[in-house]
Amino acid sequence: MDISSTPPASPDAQSLSGAAPATAEPAVIRREDYQPYPWRVPETHLDFALGLERTAVTSTLVIERNEDTAPASEIRLQGDGLEPLGVRLDGQEINDWRMEGSDLIVPLSGDAHELSIDTSIDPSANTKLEGLYASNGMLCTQCEAEGFRRITFFPDRPDVLSTYSVRMSGSKEAFPILLCNGNMVAQGEGEDGAHWAEWHDPWPKPSYLFALVAGDLVANSSTFTTMTGREVALNVWVRAEDLGRTDHALRSLEHSMKWDEEVFGREYDLDLYNIVAVSDFNMGAMENKGLNVFNTKYVLADPETATDADFDAIEGVIAHEYFHNWSGNRITCRDWFQLSLKEGFTVLRDQLFSQDMRGEAVKRIEDVRILRLAQFPEDAGPLAHPIRPDSYREISNFYTATIYNKGAEVIRMMRTLAGVEAFRKGTDVYFDRHDGEAATCEDFVCSIEDGTGLDLTQFRLWYRQAGTPKITVALDHSGDTATLKLTQEVPNTPGQGDKSPMPIPLKIALFDRASGTHSGEELIVLDQAEQSFAFTGHAEKPVLSINRGFTAPVVIERDVSREDLMLLARCDDDAFARYEAMQELSVAHLVAASAGQLSEGDRVSGEQGLVEAFRSILSDPALDDAMRSELLMLPTGSYLFEQMANAYVRADPGAITRERRALKALLAAQLMDPLLAHYERCAAVDEHSEGARGARKMKSHCLELIAAGDSDKAAPLASEQYDTARNMTDRQGALSVLTGLETPLRTAALLDFYNRFKDNALVIDKWFSLQALSRHPQVIEHVKALAQHRDFNLKNPNRARALYMAFAGNPSAFHADDGEGYRIIADFILALDPINPQTAARFVSPLGKWKRIEEGRSALMKAELERIAGADLSRDTFEQVTRSLEG
């Protein structure tokens, strides 16, 4: 699936987070307390009588004593908001069960039993969107991590694997399509307009992978023939009006299945693969065995309503959930502390897939940018945790960039150290050895060791230690020898100090200053606190290109001249390293300027150096437009904030915004002619040609820069681009520029966009986001007005994120001098938390930077956190707020 007191040690220690009421301080769940469940549940039978306002559920569990654990005289089943309406043991009604908090406890005297439980739930009242809930007249489920306990009482933990047989019945008019995991084995008509279907999933799975969907749906269907010749039926289920926007999702699924066979040797294992698009969904998608439930955002697309980036995201998320069939479903997690076992590995797999589909260079830059924007701040803040955490209060809070993105980078480092072919051997060992098991991160590392011959003893520190390593670099030269001196420091993080050095693979190249070439790339491994590497054959001091391809998720600190960076920006043959040189040039100038550390002379020379660097990118005929656009991007305000906080302890977002805007305006003013020339060239590219995607990206980026330098010149250009756009990429690019300008053309375009797409929820999400992200001076008032708009719906996660997550990512608005931006987000969290705690908790982290921001804003930000903390909070939000305040 794009989380105090210590609980008593018990067989259910890993699942006790469900027992604490929201008003009490939640218990801390610790990895060291894990104990296997004392009972096995080889078979689970579920019977649903479906209704939007009342669904009756009967669960029948076949239970066997787990011989590998200490004997237990009772079974503990987790529930959340449930009351047992009937409990039967081996066919007989019993009354000696009891409730402990939310859990159902049933005495068991024998070694094997059949336990049946009746419950009733109201899906229409389930605003948390966990368990079984109603969405626009249909029923669907979301059970990861602990949603199944909201459907029926069950050992709701990932190490209890069971085969599921499910019968569903309900109104054929309301629910003409009945879907579940596995394969349909029977269906028929009932009385009074009802019908039923029975499904069986032959593969044992944990409860979090259970899925059910019932509604009025139609399918875009195809078939896929596996590498052993089996035919698999593929369906993408949506509402009838959305069917025309599902072709890309279906093609992406077919490409994913083929790629996984070719690259990892993994074949699909059922006769049917269903995807269902749901408009109310907390996450991006869910990999339920054979029945993936997706946010509509990651299924529906056509050129008129989706940007090129939307198409890419759909392809990546479809692949991610499909790849989970092996890295997550066939092999799942022993406990939730092992979450990165499935998520980190699967993120790496979807990244590699996307690289193969649309090119490695730009995709790698995009992945690193996401890591730096989302995960690096997490590692540097109060919510820092290792990729295999040691404890949690609410597991939903650990679906983080650290678990996913850093987890992927850690496994990518293993691949770099081993080589592609050896890494494949290691993953084959993992899949073969642990198929059908609930495994651990240690199981994965051992498999890679056995398959590759690597000794990963020290490498395991990456799983235990939080924090982004800082590598200090110095390059000395004497005679014909260049000596690279490296030191590493893993910073202290909450609960962790005195870190040990970790093995860090770094690809490097040494460039000759005269020719701008190098004699070859080398892989070095820094595994000590301090280490030196000597390279002979260099009569003159070379220019160092380091961490090429971003081989390690680290921060590089080095004293490098502007001239050396400009050489790398012109000549480096590694796409990421070239991008990094451009970023370093900009970061060095903007951080120093924002901190008031530039003399007037240094400011002028720095600006002119950047102008020339950007000019060289604009004039390089060898660059394609997609890569050129990446090289011309200034570092984001958020990334500059982190760099300034690292260098000066506290960052000033107001100064960062002013300096970044000033530099952008200067670059645009001095490079206006080539920017206009590129804009006109890209506008003339045939939208169906091979280079059209890159041209669209470059065109919109040029327009953004032109607007920064001359808004009067940009406004009519943007308006014309908007009016003549034949795809959403061009239309959105134009509108994003217009929303930041004070011009009547802005109002006209926003009104047209709304009226044109008012019946398309995903496009109206864009309408909300573009206004919340704009640099318009009245953006705060605009956001307040949008929150009262008739189309704003607090209960829909997509719409809530579209407005408020976008606003929190707008540095000039969120960090308003008077703290109004912080108040808006705090008010939003307090309003959403009683409705949807999981989504509300994800908005806390922007307020968690109060110790890293300048003192005036720090006090305002902390005051809002304290105001939130004073409310009656859910477990999800309580944990995030208290950890943020503790710092």
Side-chain angles (χ1 to χ4, degrees):
M1 184 175 68
D2 4 191
I3 329 182
S4 156
S5 57
T6 305
S10 76
D12 300 283
Q14 69 169 5
S15 300
L16 291 178
S17 61
T23 53
E25 184 168 323
V28 175
I29 313 303
R30 303 185 190 280
R31 181 166 57 88
E32 63 186 15
D33 292 335
Y34 170 81
Q35 295 182 36
Y37 196 65
W39 300 93
R40 293 191 174 97
V41 187
E43 297 178 30
T44 298
H45 303 270
L46 300 171
D47 192 317
F48 291 86
L50 299 171
L52 290 174
E53 295 181 349
R54 183 183 184 275
T55 290
V57 184
T58 297
S59 61
T60 300
L61 284 56
V62 176
I63 301 168
E64 299 172 356
R65 191 175 298 280
N66 185 349
E67 302 295 342
D68 297 330
T69 66
S73 60
E74 57 189 24
I75 188 169
R76 175 184 293 266
L77 305 174
Q78 281 73 50
D80 183 356
L82 300 176
E83 290 293 336
L85 302 180
V87 180
R88 294 173 297 282
L89 186 64
D90 300 325
Q92 300 297 313
E93 197 81 24
I94 62 171
N95 296 309
D96 57 347
W97 53 268
R98 69 185 189 278
M99 296 293 294
E100 288 188 3
S102 299
D103 297 348
L104 173 65
I105 314 298
V106 180
L108 297 177
S109 58
D111 293 336
H113 296 278
E114 185 176 278
L115 177 63
S116 296
I117 305 166
D118 300 326
T119 56
S120 178
I121 51 182
D122 179 358
S124 67
N126 184 357
T127 62
K128 293 183 178 181
L129 310 185
E130 299 174 67
L132 178 67
Y133 63 93
S135 175
N136 289 332
M138 63 187 290
L139 293 175
C140 57
T141 57
Q142 171 55 34
C143 293
E144 187 175 358
E146 295 177 341
F148 192 75
R149 64 186 62 186
R150 294 174 60 81
I151 297 173
T152 188
F153 292 97
F154 199 80
D156 192 15
R157 43 188 284 165
D159 60 344
V160 176
L161 308 183
S162 185
T163 59
Y164 284 69
S165 297
V166 179
R167 178 185 171 91
M168 296 177 284
S169 62
S171 164
K172 190 171 184 177
E173 181 181 7
F175 311 120
I177 299 299
L178 303 173
L179 303 173
C180 199
N181 306 94
N183 299 312
M184 182 186 287
V185 294
Q187 59 180 325
E189 302 295 322
E191 298 179 353
D192 301 324
H195 71 144
W196 57 268
E198 293 179 355
W199 291 75
H200 177 65
D201 184 357
W203 298 100
K205 64 176 179 283
S207 55
Y208 80 84
L209 289 173
F210 171 79
L212 174 157
V213 174
D216 188 1
L217 302 168
V218 296
N220 189 350
S221 302
S222 180
T223 60
F224 178 83
T225 302
T226 71
M227 60 187 181
T228 61
R230 289 190 308 104
E231 187 172 279
V232 180
L234 310 179
N235 298 298
V236 178
W237 294 93
V238 295
R239 298 185 181 283
E241 60 268 26
D242 294 327
L243 187 62
R245 294 189 286 150
T246 57
D247 285 346
H248 178 65
L250 189 58
R251 287 196 306 271
S252 297
L253 175 59
E254 294 167 350
H255 294 161
S256 303
M257 297 175 82
K258 186 174 187 294
W259 183 90
D260 209 21
E261 290 183 346
E262 294 174 347
V263 177
F264 280 92
R266 300 299 109 194
E267 182 179 16
Y268 188 60
D269 51 10
L270 289 169
D271 301 329
L272 179 65
Y273 194 98
N274 284 319
I275 290 173
V276 180
V278 178
S279 56
D280 296 289
F281 204 69
N282 282 337
M283 301 294 186
M286 181 61 210
E287 69 268 19
N288 317 297
K289 184 75 176 181
L291 178 57
N292 288 185
V293 179
F294 269 66
N295 190 320
T296 51
K297 180 183 173 117
Y298 296 107
V299 172
L300 305 180
D302 61 21
E304 184 183 1
T305 61
T307 65
D308 293 334
D310 293 330
F311 276 89
D312 292 344
I314 289 169
E315 181 181 68
V317 176
I318 293 277
H320 181 94
E321 304 309 328
Y322 174 74
F323 297 154
H324 264 314
N325 186 61
W326 276 92
S327 51
N329 297 1
R330 287 283 288 265
I331 307 176
T332 191
C333 303
R334 184 196 74 176
D335 54 68
W336 289 120
F337 299 103
Q338 319 298 328
L339 183 58
S340 193
L341 171 71
K342 72 182 186 78
E343 295 301 347
F345 186 25
T346 305
V347 168
L348 173 63
R349 278 153 51 76
D350 81 54
Q351 290 176 348
L352 296 174
F353 165 77
S354 294
Q355 288 178 191
D356 286 348
M357 293 298 105
R358 52 190 178 89
E360 180 176 359
V362 170
K363 173 59 177 169
R364 187 63 182 137
I365 291 169
E366 291 172 351
D367 290 339
V368 173
R369 183 160 53 237
I370 291 170
L371 183 81
R372 286 173 165 171
L373 288 175
Q375 197 281 319
F376 277 21
E378 196 168 83
D379 247 352
L383 303 180
H385 55 277
I387 65 171
R388 184 186 58 199
D390 294 317
S391 65
Y392 64 81
R393 287 171 173 157
E394 171 53 56
I395 186 55
S396 295
N397 289 333
F398 275 99
Y399 286 77
T400 62
T402 296
I403 299 297
Y404 282 65
N405 302 77
K406 185 176 180 179
E409 295 297 326
V410 168
I411 298 174
R412 187 187 287 262
M413 284 191 288
M414 294 188 213
R415 184 173 182 265
T416 298
L417 291 167
V420 174
E421 292 184 7
F423 181 74
R424 165 66 191 273
K425 292 178 182 177
T427 59
D428 284 348
V429 170
Y430 172 66
F431 288 129
D432 293 343
R433 181 181 292 173
H434 298 289
D435 187 14
E437 294 181 4
T440 66
C441 294
E442 178 62 19
D443 291 330
F444 181 84
V445 175
C446 287
S447 297
I448 299 299
E449 284 182 317
D450 292 345
T452 65
L454 290 173
D455 180 356
L456 297 174
T457 302
Q458 186 186 10
F459 190 88
R460 287 169 169 81
L461 289 168
W462 281 98
Y463 282 87
R464 298 199 296 266
Q465 296 185 161
T468 303
K470 180 177 70 176
I471 311 300
T472 304
V473 179
L475 183 67
D476 296 334
H477 181 264
S478 179
D480 72 340
T481 301
T483 302
L484 178 61
K485 297 180 178 179
L486 303 175
T487 64
Q488 66 164 292
E489 175 192 355
V490 186
N492 292 339
T493 52
Q496 288 190 343
D498 299 323
K499 308 287 181 70
S500 299
M502 302 191 292
I504 299 172
L506 297 166
K507 287 183 179 178
I508 68 161
L510 296 171
F511 279 77
D512 177 74
R513 293 176 185 277
S515 66
T517 62
H518 63 87
S519 58
E521 183 179 79
E522 296 190 42
L523 177 66
I524 62 174
V525 179
L526 171 65
D527 57 11
Q528 302 171 28
E530 299 181 10
Q531 215 163 339
S532 295
F533 303 85
F535 306 91
T536 58
H538 298 278
E540 302 291 335
K541 184 178 181 180
V543 177
L544 173 66
S545 173
I546 189 168
N547 206 20
R548 294 161 63 81
F550 200 74
T551 45
V554 298
V555 172
I556 301 291
E557 291 196 355
R558 56 175 174 163
D559 186 9
V560 58
S561 69
R562 185 183 301 125
E563 291 71 25
D564 285 359
L565 289 174
M566 291 181 69
L567 183 145
L568 294 173
R570 290 193 310 272
C571 303
D572 206 316
D573 57 340
D574 179 271
F576 175 78
R578 190 174 185 183
Y579 164 83
E580 187 74 336
M582 289 294 293
Q583 291 289 293
E584 285 187 80
L585 278 168
S586 301
V587 167
H589 176 83
L590 286 168
V591 168
S594 299
Q597 299 296 312
L598 282 183
S599 67
E600 186 59 30
D602 287 342
R603 177 183 289 274
V604 171
S605 62
E607 289 170 347
Q608 289 311 304
L610 283 164
V611 168
E612 292 312 309
F614 274 62
R615 192 186 304 278
S616 73
I617 299 302
L618 287 166
S619 62
D620 187 343
L623 286 169
D624 63 63
D625 282 322
M627 187 64 197
R628 192 190 314 274
S629 181
E630 292 290 343
L631 293 173
L632 291 173
M633 287 187 185
L634 285 173
T636 66
S638 298
Y639 184 62
L640 291 167
F641 178 97
E642 295 301 320
Q643 300 306 301
M644 189 176 183
N646 290 339
Y648 298 100
V649 182
R650 289 184 180 270
D652 183 345
I656 290 170
T657 298
R658 288 191 299 273
E659 291 292 343
R660 188 176 182 276
R661 286 183 175 178
L663 177 60
K664 202 171 182 179
L666 181 141
L667 290 168
Q670 297 204 19
L671 298 170
M672 186 62 72
D673 288 344
L675 287 171
L676 287 168
H678 274 290
Y679 181 81
E680 293 167 1
R681 175 187 61 79
C682 291
V685 172
D686 182 347
E687 67 173 322
H688 301 296
S689 67
E690 183 178 347
R693 278 176 54 105
R696 287 192 289 269
K697 184 175 182 177
M698 182 65 184
K699 177 171 62 176
S700 289
H701 190 59
C702 287
L703 183 61
E704 179 187 339
L705 286 170
I706 292 166
D710 189 339
S711 59
D712 291 338
K713 185 171 293 185
L717 286 176
S719 182
E720 182 182 7
Q721 178 175 316
Y722 178 88
D723 290 339
T724 60
R726 299 176 64 182
N727 56 75
M728 181 54 72
T729 303
D730 283 345
R731 195 179 304 279
Q732 180 174 309
L735 188 59
S736 68
V737 169
L738 286 170
T739 55
L741 303 180
E742 295 186 86
T743 169
L745 296 173
R746 173 188 188 275
T747 303
L750 282 170
L751 184 60
D752 176 82
F753 192 90
Y754 177 81
N755 287 329
R756 186 186 295 257
F757 298 110
K758 61 186 176 183
D759 295 326
N760 187 312
L762 293 177
V763 182
I764 294 303
D765 287 341
K766 297 176 183 293
W767 184 77
F768 278 91
S769 289
L770 288 170
Q771 294 178 77
L773 282 167
S774 93
R775 53 179 292 180
H776 194 281
Q778 300 300 316
V779 63
I780 287 179
E781 296 308 313
H782 295 162
V783 167
K784 289 179 179 179
L786 287 167
Q788 303 302 315
H789 193 278
R790 64 178 177 271
D791 285 339
F792 182 74
N793 179 4
L794 188 67
K795 294 181 179 180
N796 179 263
N798 281 357
R799 189 57 48 85
R801 286 187 289 257
L803 181 60
Y804 285 100
M805 194 62 80
F807 176 75
N810 184 336
S812 61
F814 178 64
H815 295 293
D817 292 345
D818 61 357
E820 182 65 13
Y822 308 150
R823 286 192 290 275
I824 287 174
I825 293 300
D827 287 342
F828 167 74
I829 292 170
L830 289 169
L832 184 61
D833 188 56
I835 299 169
N836 188 331
Q838 191 176 111
T839 299
R842 294 183 176 275
F843 284 81
V844 175
S845 61
L847 296 171
K849 298 180 179 181
W850 64 276
K851 283 193 174 182
R852 310 187 77 218
I853 201 168
E854 53 85 14
E855 292 183 359
R857 288 182 174 89
S858 175
L860 295 168
M861 191 178 277
K862 183 182 180 185
E864 295 305 324
L865 278 172
E866 290 173 336
R867 181 163 69 91
I868 299 170
D872 183 13
L873 300 174
S874 67
R875 291 195 310 268
D876 309 62
T877 303
F878 176 88
E879 179 177 30
Q880 297 297 80
V881 171
T882 54
R883 290 177 65 199
S884 296
L885 283 169
E886 291 163 1

